[in-house]
Amino acid sequence: MKISGRVAAALLACAALITTATSAQAADLNDPRLKDIAMQIVSSAENSTLDWKSQFGYIEDIDDGRGY
């Protein structure tokens, strides 16, 4: 699988933020930086873009029985 440079940069940034978290303080998605990076990673897989905010309102019923 080929990963684009922007996705690789987002993954590296996320890894850096997680590894800098102390053992007493776990990294979680309440941190706005981590949440934004996580959303970029998901959006890159689902929508082929890191601009998750522009894709956030998209919805489609793909008739798989799970709804929207």
Side-chain angles (χ1 to χ4, degrees), residues 3-4 6-8 10-11 37-52 55:
I3 298 175
S4 75
R6 292 179 66 192
V7 173
L11 288 169
I37 292 169
M39 294 297 284
Q40 288 179 32
I41 292 169
V42 171
S43 181
S44 71
E46 292 183 355
N47 305 308
S48 300
T49 179
L50 295 178
D51 186 12
W52 65 270
Q55 301 295 320

Side-chain angles (χ1 to χ4, degrees), residues 8-68:
L11 288 169
L12 289 173
C14 186
L17 288 172
I18 290 171
T19 56
T20 59
T22 65
S23 60
Q25 176 190 14
D28 65 49
L29 295 181
N30 289 324
D31 180 338
R33 296 172 299 162
L34 291 178
K35 182 176 180 178
D36 186 61
I37 292 169
M39 294 297 284
Q40 288 179 32
I41 292 169
V42 171
S43 181
S44 71
E46 292 183 355
N47 305 308
S48 300
T49 179
L50 295 178
D51 186 12
W52 65 270
K53 292 177 184 177
S54 69
Q55 301 295 320
F56 194 76
Y58 173 77
I59 188 170
E60 179 183 0
D61 184 359
I62 59 172
D63 296 320
D64 61 357
R66 296 184 291 172
Y68 288 101

